[in-house]
Amino acid sequence: MRWSRYFLPTMKDTPAEAQIASHRYMLRAGMVRQNAAGIYTWLPMGLKVLTKIADIVRDEQARAGANEVLMPTIQSAELWQESGRFDAYGPEMLRFEDRHGRTMLYGPTNEEMITDIFKRDVQSYKNLPMNLYHIQWKFRDEVRPRFGVMRGREFLMKDGYSFDVDKEAAELAYKKVFISYLRTFRRLGLTAIPMQADTGPIGGDLSHEFLIQAETGESEVFFDSAISGDKAFTEDLTNDTELEAAFDRLTAAYARTDETHEAALFDAEVPEERKVVSRGVEVGHIFYFGTKYSEALGATVSNADGKDVPVHMGSYGIGVSRLVGGIIEANHDDDGIIWPTEIAPFGVGIINLKVDDEGCTSACDQLYAQAQAAGLDPLLDDRDMRPGGKFADMELIGLPWVITIGPRGLKDGMAELKNRRTGEKQDVAIADVLAKVSAG
Ligand code: ATP
Ligand code: MG
């Protein structure tokens, strides 16, 4: 992409409404613009990152055996009246009437709808286990939308739902998602600690939240630092026995949010030097709630004995749009964002220091074409602007590598290569520079 052809409106000054780094940088780096409280437009570079995150989530869902669907954002109130949640959900749910006077709502979540979809086409245990998910916009009329996309009113969520013939199978499904979430967050460059949670309005008996550490997080967290050293965070578990053992280890260790924290247990179970008291951002939340919705909505399957039983369900959420903010909270410095390579909006930036110099421009164009051919997805800053502004913008948008070409180095066939994360700069022959970037 050529910057001159790209809608990437950066801002030099800090917007007054932004209280935390991720919100500041998402506005300044031209990723989002606010349209109403908690409602945002994603501009091209923001959308590119959002899509990359969603694609990693998709890839890991496929690996875990889940099927992608796409349910609508608008739902009719009837199923929610049947489950009893239409009244229970409260003012966070946006309700309205269509032209025929039917009550509709903008989905805050989809347990009822997916249960209805399931029951219409699945009648036998032979089709199970099943896990269906979608990545779709949700609306929750939050009292206090804040911190940009971290607590929006309209936000993108991956929500998945598992269906099993009995409790034992459903618990295994839950554990599989639990472990696959660790891998998903790892691919996004994050260590998300699973914490025992309240089940809240979803209801049910088993629930964990996944939190990443951030000073500006909304929840206080208390956990045993030994957890993040568990091999489940870094290695792939190959079979169900290993997976269940990892689940047992991780859930036996102390990890709670302020809502569920029990100080006496924390003191008794966790050695002083391993106690972490910090703040966290919830990026995922999973529930096993048994037959709560299947009983209310009549979703049964025949079991191996030919008997009709209500299907056992779980639901599994990842805050896809919140993750953009969460990843920036975990990866930035005073100059801007520092993208982890896997989700960086472009693989490498190329700065043309002097666009009215024919030599610089042709060297940059050539390098840009080579970088494209090598699959490095380059962003070429070909704007006619002072170098200081170009450097500052490039730091702000945080691409992993930046190649700078100016008239002085070019005389000797040299470019400068900078690593955004380490800040390390080196002079490299232009002929070798892309190989260096590819090598990492
Ligand atoms: P929170 O406690 O932060 O309000 P929640 O428990 O209500 O979240 P869930 O119903 O568990 O949220 O939704 C699944 C995921 O969706 C959350 O883990 C979070 O990452 C994301 N999410 C929830 N609410 C919002 C929001 N208002 N803005 C952005 N992401 C959100
Ligand atoms: Mg939650």
Side-chain angles (χ1 to χ4, degrees):
M1 181 57 68
R2 288 173 182 275
W3 200 314
S4 62
R5 310 302 318 142
Y6 198 48
F7 183 39
L8 176 44
T10 55
M11 287 153 53
K12 223 168 141 187
D13 298 319
T14 298
E17 74 268 29
Q19 301 163 26
I20 63 171
S22 58
H23 190 194
R24 265 196 312 272
Y25 287 144
M26 287 182 75
L27 292 170
R28 286 191 53 209
M31 295 175 67
V32 289
R33 291 292 178 258
Q34 183 177 303
N35 302 105
I39 300 180
Y40 290 86
T41 293
W42 292 77
L43 300 187
M45 199 178 74
L47 180 60
K48 203 168 177 201
V49 173
L50 185 68
T51 305
K52 285 196 169 192
I53 294 173
D55 284 345
I56 288 175
V57 170
R58 270 197 185 92
D59 200 44
E60 291 303 325
Q61 288 295 298
R63 181 190 298 271
N67 286 196
E68 185 172 11
V69 298
L70 185 58
M71 290 177 267
T73 54
I74 308 288
Q75 308 186 21
S76 90
E78 282 155 31
L79 295 172
W80 289 72
Q81 278 150 352
E82 278 181 53
S83 76
R85 276 211 297 185
F86 189 71
D87 295 322
Y89 211 91
E92 277 192 8
M93 185 151 78
L94 178 65
R95 305 145 205 253
F96 47 91
E97 280 187 1
D98 69 10
R99 68 200 298 167
H100 304 294
R102 287 188 208 106
T103 307
M104 311 293 287
L105 56 99
Y106 195 122
T109 181
N110 285 59
E111 281 80 7
E112 285 81 354
M113 186 175 269
I114 199 78
T115 307
D116 184 56
I117 291 164
F118 175 89
K119 86 169 185 197
R120 288 195 250 163
D121 286 293
V122 185
Q123 274 87 36
S124 164
Y125 77 99
K126 288 182 186 154
N127 297 114
L128 306 182
M130 188 179 279
N131 186 324
L132 304 175
Y133 78 98
H134 70 165
I135 297 179
Q136 178 62 292
W137 295 93
K138 303 289 184 288
F139 191 91
R140 293 184 187 173
D141 204 352
E142 301 275 356
V143 195
R144 219 150 79 82
R146 57 181 187 152
F147 301 156
V149 301
M150 298 274 258
R151 183 167 295 286
R153 291 198 295 165
E154 190 179 48
F155 60 95
L156 191 61
M157 195 202 287
K158 170 259 154 180
D159 42 324
Y161 305 88
S162 65
F163 302 89
D164 286 276
V165 70
D166 56 29
K167 184 167 186 205
E168 197 190 344
E171 283 181 355
L172 179 61
Y174 181 94
K175 292 172 188 176
K176 283 187 171 167
V177 175
F178 181 102
I179 298 295
S180 95
Y181 273 25
L182 298 179
R183 194 185 142 93
T184 304
F185 294 125
R186 183 210 319 162
R187 281 189 58 189
L188 298 169
L190 299 169
T191 301
I193 310 278
M195 312 223 169
Q196 189 175 303
D198 283 335
T199 50
I202 305 263
D205 359 282
L206 189 57
S207 179
H208 290 89
E209 293 175 340
F210 292 77
L211 285 101
I212 54 171
Q213 263 182 276
E215 278 166 37
T216 49
E218 287 188 332
S219 324
E220 195 168 16
V221 295
F222 307 82
F223 65 94
D224 184 340
S225 67
I227 292 178
S228 57
D230 195 283
K231 67 175 185 183
F233 283 92
T234 48
E235 285 169 37
D236 290 331
L237 311 173
T238 48
N239 58 53
D240 290 356
T241 316
E242 239 181 63
L243 185 147
E244 296 206 77
F247 177 86
D248 290 345
R249 283 196 307 275
L250 291 173
T251 53
Y254 194 96
R256 309 274 196 281
T257 65
D258 37 12
E259 284 151 45
T260 49
H261 177 53
E262 298 148 282
L265 254 190
F266 191 49
D267 284 340
E269 283 185 11
V270 188
E272 206 54 45
E273 68 281 6
R274 295 204 323 238
K275 278 186 182 153
V276 180
V277 179
S278 172
R279 302 202 69 82
V281 173
E282 181 193 321
V283 290
H285 196 166
I286 62 178
F287 304 84
Y288 165 65
F289 47 75
T291 57
K292 180 178 153 105
Y293 296 96
S294 55
E295 281 190 57
L297 299 169
T300 58
V301 289
S302 60
N303 67 12
D305 304 326
K307 211 177 129 215
D308 277 345
V309 293
V311 71
H312 284 250
M313 294 174 59
S315 72
Y316 313 97
I318 292 181
V320 177
S321 51
R322 177 179 287 182
L323 272 167
V324 180
I327 290 167
I328 296 173
E329 285 301 316
N331 297 278
H332 70 269
D333 62 14
D334 288 343
D335 298 321
I337 303 165
I338 306 172
W339 290 114
T341 308
E342 275 234 59
I343 55 155
F346 296 93
V348 58
I350 301 172
I351 297 180
N352 181 352
L353 275 186
K354 212 165 182 326
V355 292
D356 54 6
D357 178 302
E358 249 177 64
C360 280
T361 295
S362 88
C364 283
D365 284 351
Q366 209 182 339
L367 192 68
Y368 174 66
Q370 288 166 348
Q372 273 185 323
L376 290 171
D377 194 13
L379 175 68
L380 170 62
D381 190 351
D382 57 350
R383 296 171 302 168
D384 189 4
M385 236 175 83
R386 295 221 328 278
K390 289 191 165 190
F391 287 128
D393 271 354
M394 205 50 105
E395 294 286 287
L396 174 65
I397 69 168
L399 308 183
W401 296 98
V402 180
I403 300 167
T404 304
I405 294 187
R408 211 174 315 150
L410 186 60
K411 279 195 314 234
D412 309 316
M414 300 296 280
E416 184 196 85
L417 175 64
K418 182 171 178 184
N419 180 301
R420 175 67 180 90
R421 193 171 287 276
T422 62
E424 192 194 328
K425 290 180 190 170
Q426 46 181 321
D427 293 324
V428 182
I430 295 177
D432 301 335
V433 73
L434 293 180
K436 284 231 171 217
V437 170
S438 300

